Amino acid sequence: MRDAWYADETGLWDYGAPAVAGEWKWPRGPDGAFFAVYEFRRTCGSFKAHFWAGQRWESLRGHADPLVRVGLDTMLLGLIWKGDDGEAQHTEPGFFCSDPGFSYGLLIARSPDSVRELATTWAGVRPRLSGLCRGFVEHAADPGRWIGDFDEFTALLEDWGCVLTEAARRGWGIVGLSE
């Protein structure tokens, strides 16, 4: 995957080309049909925003409608939140690579089946997100910090929804890498 990502023919490293956060980058070349890159809005390419979204969810979840809580617990446990016990794994054993020598920087690895399940969960939760606003403001807001307000929180969730929906549509898994 790194070879495909860094290959000059993908065009992904064309620093002169305009890039829009919140949209897909479709690579050119022979590997273009097998992967794409999604640039999350308001993250500056950092996983910190995702980590902090998990922290905000931890502060908010006890005040969320039970249906929303169950759905977002499922979705975020699969992607970015460590869970109540701090032990959630965001990489599925056997999917992508389980060799520690090759898994440096692997943050998230979800199989196509898992992605379909998470996309279905997202579709059920998305219409109910606005009901979290008051609870977020009261229990999770931290203005001026990563994912410190409700709009930033929901924007990140919407971005994840976009990733899950498109990957599920294509029958793809998802991989998050840190470099």
Side-chain angles (χ1 to χ4, degrees), residues 29 32 42 52 65 71 81 83 89 100 107 110-111 125 135 165 176:
R42 304 178 184 175
W52 284 108
D65 174 271
W81 181 49
Q89 295 298 312
L107 299 171
R110 290 282 166 214
S111 69
V125 168
T165 301

Side-chain angles (χ1 to χ4, degrees), residues 74-93:
T74 299
M75 183 177 143
L76 297 178
L77 278 169
L79 299 170
I80 59 173
W81 181 49
K82 290 290 189 176
D84 285 334
D85 60 6
E87 298 295 323
Q89 295 298 312
H90 304 123
T91 58
E92 289 180 53

Side-chain angles (χ1 to χ4, degrees), residues 5 13 22 24 41 46 53 57 59 61 64 81 98 120 140 144-145:
W5 167 258
W13 298 100
W24 290 92
R41 296 173 284 168
S46 174
W57 175 240
S59 298
R61 67 184 293 272
W81 181 49
S98 50
T120 299
R145 305 286 306 252

